[in-house]
């Protein structure tokens, strides 16, 4: 009975140790993983929950056309389900926004960057948590499809509509405090 109890305690401690090392110090808040954005600008926001340095790089995923040239991925018909099951190995990373470092000095910090002139295509936000001597401790990726911005339509000012900026802020707050 004592051996069984000791084994259970040892197993529990091992699981707790593994769970503690598997947590990531950084998470991409915006754009949400496997999401679709209808805009020509994207806000990149990363939440950092430990006193660490992160490196954030944004890539446009490219594919080869019939002539062997790298071209943007056609995301016109892609859905969020398609994005969640995407095999990124078949694409080539092309740096869209060069790597930027951010060091969190408090309990919680945020790295943010507004990307403009974003053309339709498939993008990946790569966040690397750095350890001693700038070695990569963990990596988190978030994939987003940027689609053509919808044409502005006449709106009835008397309709009860939530603005997209307000929706974005509400979604951002929900993700930060989830």
């Amino acid at each position: 009975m004592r051996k069984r109890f000791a084994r259970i305690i040892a197993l529990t401690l091992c699981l707790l140790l593994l769970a503690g090392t598997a947590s990531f110090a950084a998470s991409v808040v915006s754009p949400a993983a496997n999401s679709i954005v209808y805009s020509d600008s994207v806000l990149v926001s990363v939440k950092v929950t430990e006193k660490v340095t992160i490196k954030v790089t944004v890539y446009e995923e490219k594919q080869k056309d019939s002539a062997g040239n790298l071209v943007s991925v056609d995301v016109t018909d892609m859905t969020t389900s398609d994005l969640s099951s995407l095999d990124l190995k078949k694409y080539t990373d092309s740096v869209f926004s060069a790597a930027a470092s951010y060091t969190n000095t408090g309990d919680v910090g945020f790295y943010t960057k507004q990307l403009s002139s974003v053309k339709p295509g498939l993008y990946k936000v790569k966040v690397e948590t750095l350890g001693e001597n700038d070695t990569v401790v963990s990596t988190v990726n978030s994939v987003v499809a940027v689609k053509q911005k919808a044409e502005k339509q006449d709106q009835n000012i008397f309709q009860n509509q939530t603005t997209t900026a307000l929706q974005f802020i509400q979604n951002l707050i929900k993700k930060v405090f989830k």
Side-chain angles (χ1 to χ4, degrees):
M1 182 74 167
R2 285 186 183 189
K3 285 184 180 181
R4 183 176 175 193
F5 183 70
R7 287 181 185 162
I8 291 173
I9 288 180
L11 180 62
T12 304
L13 290 174
C14 287
L15 290 175
L16 287 174
L17 181 62
L18 287 174
T21 58
S23 67
F24 294 103
S27 60
V28 179
V29 177
S30 173
N34 306 323
S35 63
I36 297 174
V37 176
Y38 295 89
S39 180
D40 57 358
S41 66
V42 174
L43 176 67
V44 175
S45 182
V46 179
K47 178 178 149 184
V48 185
T49 57
E50 294 178 17
K51 294 180 181 178
V52 294
T53 298
I54 61 169
K55 183 170 74 171
V56 181
T57 311
V58 180
Y59 298 97
E60 180 179 3
E61 297 299 306
K62 302 268 187 160
Q63 62 187 14
K64 290 187 178 181
D65 64 5
S66 58
N69 301 316
L70 289 177
V71 295
S72 297
V73 176
D74 182 11
V75 295
T76 307
D77 297 327
M78 276 192 184
T79 64
T80 53
S81 298
D82 296 332
L83 292 172
S84 63
S85 61
L86 205 59
D87 180 15
L88 289 177
K89 292 177 185 173
K90 67 181 185 177
Y91 300 110
T92 302
D93 289 344
S94 175
V95 175
F96 181 80
S97 178
S101 291
Y102 168 77
T103 302
N104 181 33
T105 56
D107 291 335
V108 177
F110 289 91
Y111 165 84
T112 57
K113 181 173 185 173
Q114 182 71 37
L115 304 176
S116 54
S117 301
V118 180
K119 297 191 178 351
L122 186 63
Y123 294 84
K124 175 175 73 174
V125 178
K126 181 178 182 180
V127 180
E128 297 173 311
T129 303
L130 305 178
E132 291 183 26
N133 302 322
D134 291 336
T135 58
V136 177
V137 176
S138 65
T139 303
V140 176
N141 292 314
S142 178
V143 178
V144 61
V146 175
K147 292 190 177 186
Q148 185 68 37
K149 189 175 179 180
E151 294 293 322
K152 197 169 191 174
Q153 298 175 348
D154 292 335
Q155 295 179 350
N156 181 352
I157 61 171
F158 298 107
Q159 281 182 324
N160 184 11
Q161 294 182 341
T162 307
T163 64
T164 56
L166 181 57
Q167 286 174 338
F168 172 76
I169 292 171
Q170 287 173 341
N171 290 340
L172 185 61
I173 291 171
K174 285 178 187 176
K175 289 208 179 268
V176 168
F177 294 104
K178 102 176 177 182

